[in-house]
Amino acid sequence: MHQREHFNSRLAIVLALAGSAIGLGNIWRFPYVVGEYGGAAFIIVYIAFSLCISLPIMLSESIIGRHARKGVYCALRDLAPRRPWWKWAGLVAVLGAFIISSYYSVVGGWSVDYMMRALMKGFSPDAPDNVMGIFGRMSSSVWEPIAAHTIFLGLCAAIVMLGVKNGIERFNKFSIPLLFILIVGMLVFSVNLPGARGGVEYLLKPDFSKMTAKGLSCALGQSFFSMSLGIGAVLTYASYMKPDQGILSAGVWTTLFDAGFAIMAGFVVMPAVFSAGIAPGAGPSLVFESIPYIFAKMGAASPLLARVASVTFFLTILIAAVTSEISMLEVCVSQLVEQRQISRRKASILVFILAWGLGVLCSLSFGVLGHVRILGSGIFEFFDQLSSNYIMLLGALAFAIFVGWQMKKADVEAELTNGGSLRASSRLFKFLYPVIRYVIPPAIVLIFITNLL
Ligand code: PHE
């Protein structure tokens, strides 16, 4: 029997959870949806949702994980041995983690590619308009994005292979503080660019009329994705917590770090976009077209500054993507290690091969496989929507119902309060438990229905 690993300290678990949470979702989606759905109004609703809905789900996942000391499938199987459907819910979560890990790695690969470009030759100041075309050419080609995807996934699988303490914990320990240093540095730089005011206003002008059902569902969906909920990433990390580490404080810190990072990313990206006088977009075009265009324009005035800024920017995206990717891979690897009893090394290699294969299909859907449609969407888009609109929500629903209705109340309380020794957690439990039972499940069902309409 192998000894189960643990995160070494309270800080290590917070850094791991924050590493999983802070990722591409914070950098390329958050700034855009904020502007699209009412600026400060959206930010307020987003924070409220994160604290009132996402945080309780994060705590539910943590409670299951630490109580079972197993990954998602085995945890649900062992804690509810007479209700076999729970383990199937666990399997769906693992599948969700696997799907996201494969297409996320394609985007991680693009950031490897752009970081190398920024490092080797920068973005040509002579033809900033051409710079915007690089992304289309690169992503639709065959070998370049696949090579970058291979490097990215290989790096992440290697970290996971090294283990919880020697791989994941060690990597997060230096990369999360570095991420915050980089983002603060870029923030100062960006808000001081000429014409940055427009971007600041875009993010801050509150417009509550945009808070429609769609806006609300978007805020919650963004918060779920950003906090890595519903696919067992939090559950699996929490299964490596020691009994004296606090679940509540880890959850609260993670929520604050994640929202704080997203807001800072907004103030890095949007002022720069407005300063360059281009229309704000979301997703790939924002990060891989608009931003390089800005660096190219900046390069005409000060090449060195543009070079440093562009390397910093893509390095930040790359690190943020790596720390998220390893949390998804860990869900799959721990499943294989625990259920199939194979070594971590073999499991990591197997997950690498499978995720690489699906990732290749997703990558090719921007080029030669562009015509392939699954239920009307391209391959990449299909897997993105399947996982973030459906699997994550269903997973979150399952975890909340499991903690609220399947586990014994006394076990849930003991887990959250470390056997009654944490006073603040004990006080909060009285309030939290009914929220998990009665508020979270209907809220998720409502969002699910809104997504279907
Ligand atoms: N939270 C990550 C992001 O914002 C994505 C993620 C989703 C990571 C699910 C792990 C699990 O990019």
Side-chain angles (χ1 to χ4, degrees):
M1 226 357 235
H2 73 279
Q3 195 71 38
R4 191 168 184 77
E5 287 192 86
H6 284 301
F7 284 115
N8 234 340
S9 63
R10 271 178 223 170
L11 182 65
I13 176 74
V14 174
L15 293 180
L17 288 173
S20 173
I22 295 169
L24 297 164
N26 305 54
I27 300 171
W28 82 11
R29 266 195 81 219
F30 184 81
Y32 172 76
V33 286
V34 168
E36 189 70 356
Y37 290 106
F42 183 92
I43 297 184
I44 294 167
V45 171
Y46 178 82
I47 293 177
F49 277 173
S50 294
L51 287 171
C52 302
I53 301 181
S54 302
L55 176 60
I57 298 172
M58 180 171 257
L59 299 177
S60 304
E61 278 201 37
S62 309
I63 287 169
I64 303 173
R66 198 179 58 177
H67 192 62
R69 303 195 189 292
K70 297 265 169 61
V72 55
Y73 173 87
C74 296
L76 296 186
R77 182 195 63 191
D78 296 355
L79 294 183
R82 265 174 284 146
R83 305 241 161 104
W85 59 83
W86 281 118
K87 71 174 187 229
W88 299 115
L91 203 61
V92 173
V94 176
L95 189 71
F98 170 72
I99 292 174
I100 304 180
S101 74
S102 48
Y103 76 76
Y104 205 85
S105 167
V106 173
V107 186
W110 296 341
S111 46
V112 170
D113 188 287
Y114 269 65
M115 157 83 190
M116 294 313 281
R117 269 172 208 275
L119 203 61
M120 313 283 235
K121 43 185 189 245
F123 298 100
S124 166
D126 308 327
D129 290 326
N130 282 350
V131 165
M132 291 183 88
I134 296 176
F135 178 67
R137 286 194 295 279
M138 183 276 286
S139 60
S140 62
S141 67
V142 174
W143 296 113
E144 192 177 330
I146 291 183
H149 156 60
T150 311
I151 295 172
F152 178 83
L153 192 61
L155 172 70
C156 297
I159 295 172
V160 171
M161 195 193 286
L162 285 173
V164 175
K165 230 186 239 165
N166 289 333
I168 299 174
E169 180 172 326
R170 251 210 273 166
F171 187 79
N172 283 322
K173 215 192 246 163
F174 88 89
S175 60
I176 302 300
L178 180 64
L179 270 183
F180 274 89
I181 294 171
L182 293 176
I183 199 93
V184 170
M186 284 191 293
L187 181 88
V188 173
F189 173 74
S190 191
V191 294
N192 284 308
L193 289 171
R197 258 190 89 103
V200 175
E201 277 165 18
Y202 178 81
L203 290 172
L204 286 187
K205 217 166 71 202
D207 181 356
F208 282 95
S209 70
K210 296 249 181 78
M211 279 287 107
T212 54
K214 182 97 206 302
L216 294 177
S217 118
C218 183
L220 195 61
Q222 171 68 18
S223 171
F224 273 28
F225 186 81
S226 195
M227 287 172 62
S228 310
L229 302 178
I231 55 160
V234 173
L235 191 156
T236 307
Y237 272 178
S239 75
Y240 301 119
M241 279 174 93
K242 286 186 188 157
D244 63 338
Q245 294 165 353
I247 285 180
L248 176 66
S249 64
V252 171
W253 279 114
T254 304
T255 310
L256 297 179
F257 280 149
D258 184 54
F261 193 92
I263 293 169
M264 286 197 278
F267 284 102
V268 169
V269 173
M270 285 307 166
V273 166
F274 276 76
S275 152
I278 44 186
S285 73
L286 182 68
V287 173
F288 296 107
E289 290 178 0
S290 310
I291 298 283
Y293 173 81
I294 295 159
F295 291 137
K297 272 185 92 180
M298 199 189 286
S302 44
L304 183 66
L305 194 64
R307 201 63 174 272
V308 173
S310 56
V311 173
T312 312
F313 184 78
F314 288 108
L315 180 67
T316 307
I317 297 193
L318 180 59
I319 297 174
V322 169
T323 56
S324 295
E325 176 79 18
I326 54 182
S327 70
M328 303 170 213
L329 295 178
E330 180 60 29
V331 173
C332 309
V333 167
S334 70
Q335 150 82 13
L336 290 173
V337 170
E338 287 161 9
Q339 199 214 345
R340 301 256 154 223
Q341 310 272 317
I342 60 176
S343 69
R344 173 170 278 272
R345 194 185 151 81
K346 272 199 198 131
S348 308
I349 295 173
L350 192 62
V351 171
F352 169 81
I353 294 171
L354 296 174
W356 183 83
L358 185 58
V360 165
L361 292 179
C362 292
S363 177
L364 293 177
S365 73
F366 290 91
V368 291
L369 294 184
H371 58 283
V372 178
R373 303 269 115 189
I374 310 176
L375 301 175
S377 311
I379 304 176
F380 183 103
E381 207 187 333
F382 170 77
F383 284 117
D384 179 19
Q385 283 172 357
L386 175 70
S387 47
S388 40
N389 292 351
Y390 300 103
I391 298 183
M392 282 186 140
L393 286 180
L394 290 177
L397 181 65
F399 296 139
I401 295 178
F402 194 86
V403 169
W405 300 91
Q406 169 68 38
M407 283 177 75
K408 283 199 209 96
K409 186 176 176 186
D411 287 342
V412 175
E413 184 167 11
E415 218 42 79
L416 188 81
T417 62
N418 288 359
S421 64
L422 300 174
R423 258 215 243 123
S425 303
S426 304
R427 251 178 274 138
L428 189 94
F429 179 75
K430 292 188 190 70
F431 173 74
L432 185 74
Y433 193 63
V435 168
I436 292 176
R437 278 174 82 112
Y438 302 109
V439 179
I440 306 287
I444 299 176
V445 171
L446 211 66
I447 298 295
F448 196 77
I449 294 172
T450 317
N451 281 349
L452 286 178
L453 297 178

